[in-house]
Amino acid sequence: MSKSGEDRVVQPSMLARADEIQKQIQEISGRDLQLWSIGVLLILVLTGGLMAFLIPNIIWAQRVIRVEHAYLPQLFFGLISLVLLFNIYLLNQKVSLNATRRALIGELVLNERLESLSLIDPLTQLLNRRALNELIPREVARANRLGADLIFMTIDIDGFRAINAKFGNMEGNQLLVDFARILKNIFRGGDVVFRHGGDEFLIVMPDTNEERADSPVQRLISAVKEWNSDSQKGYQIKFTWGLAPYVTGSDFEDVLRAVDRKMYQKRHNLVPVF
């Protein structure tokens, strides 16, 4: 499970960009609230000015409200100008905020689509190696923070190259698809299944120790035996697997190397693959 220098280069996370976009959308919602607050404040100011004009006349019980004719044009023009300017400002701000919001939402949707495409293996529909670099550090950080169990399991399909050479690439691809479907059916929703490359798969099992990990392994063995008996093909699926726990505070790549060693020992010491 060695990694090339190119694989080690971590590109800017799409998940981080999605979080940034969501924060910007929340900020726009906050500006919407500010505009509404300004509108309410304007209404209160106009209401207060009107009440300041009316209340003295009401208190003094004047039947006719008298206003100096010289002030009427200025008062009327001032009120109309204030309302008009505010409406223009409010309209411009709303148009600008809505345009920004639409652009951010469009970018978020595109980002999610690209992220999905970049993290999913198109053949098996499992998570790929790029997703491994995104998600495993999160699981490791969680295990370190909570002191929780974490198991790494790697699986190789035995004789895949020979099957691919004898029956063709299409049959080899179908074998990978069928095996990936078995993995998705066997492992629980909290487990994370990756196609690590070629015929190699990696399963990360949070909150699981070595003893509890034996249950899905046995189910996988049974499911593969059932597939072999029902497939009526000229070959059978055989696989070799290795399992290792994550040690709190360690480098998860050390665990991956330990899993590889165990799988290598099983294969070359003639340990049964089932």
Side-chain angles (χ1 to χ4, degrees), residues 151-198:
I151 289 291
F152 288 80
M153 177 181 180
T154 188
I155 300 173
D156 271 358
I157 298 178
D158 295 337
F160 176 75
R161 291 184 179 179
I163 294 173
N164 212 35
K166 182 176 181 180
F167 296 93
N169 290 335
M170 291 185 62
E171 186 61 35
N173 288 341
Q174 186 59 49
L175 169 59
L176 293 174
V177 170
D178 291 346
F179 191 70
R181 186 181 301 114
I182 292 173
L183 292 177
K184 287 187 284 188
N185 290 335
I186 291 301
F187 290 92
R188 60 189 180 178
D191 299 330
V192 190
V193 184
F194 302 89
R195 183 188 179 192
H196 195 261

Side-chain angles (χ1 to χ4, degrees), residues 27 29-30 52 63 76 196 250:
E27 291 176 357
S29 299
R63 294 184 179 180
F76 179 77
H196 195 261
S250 64

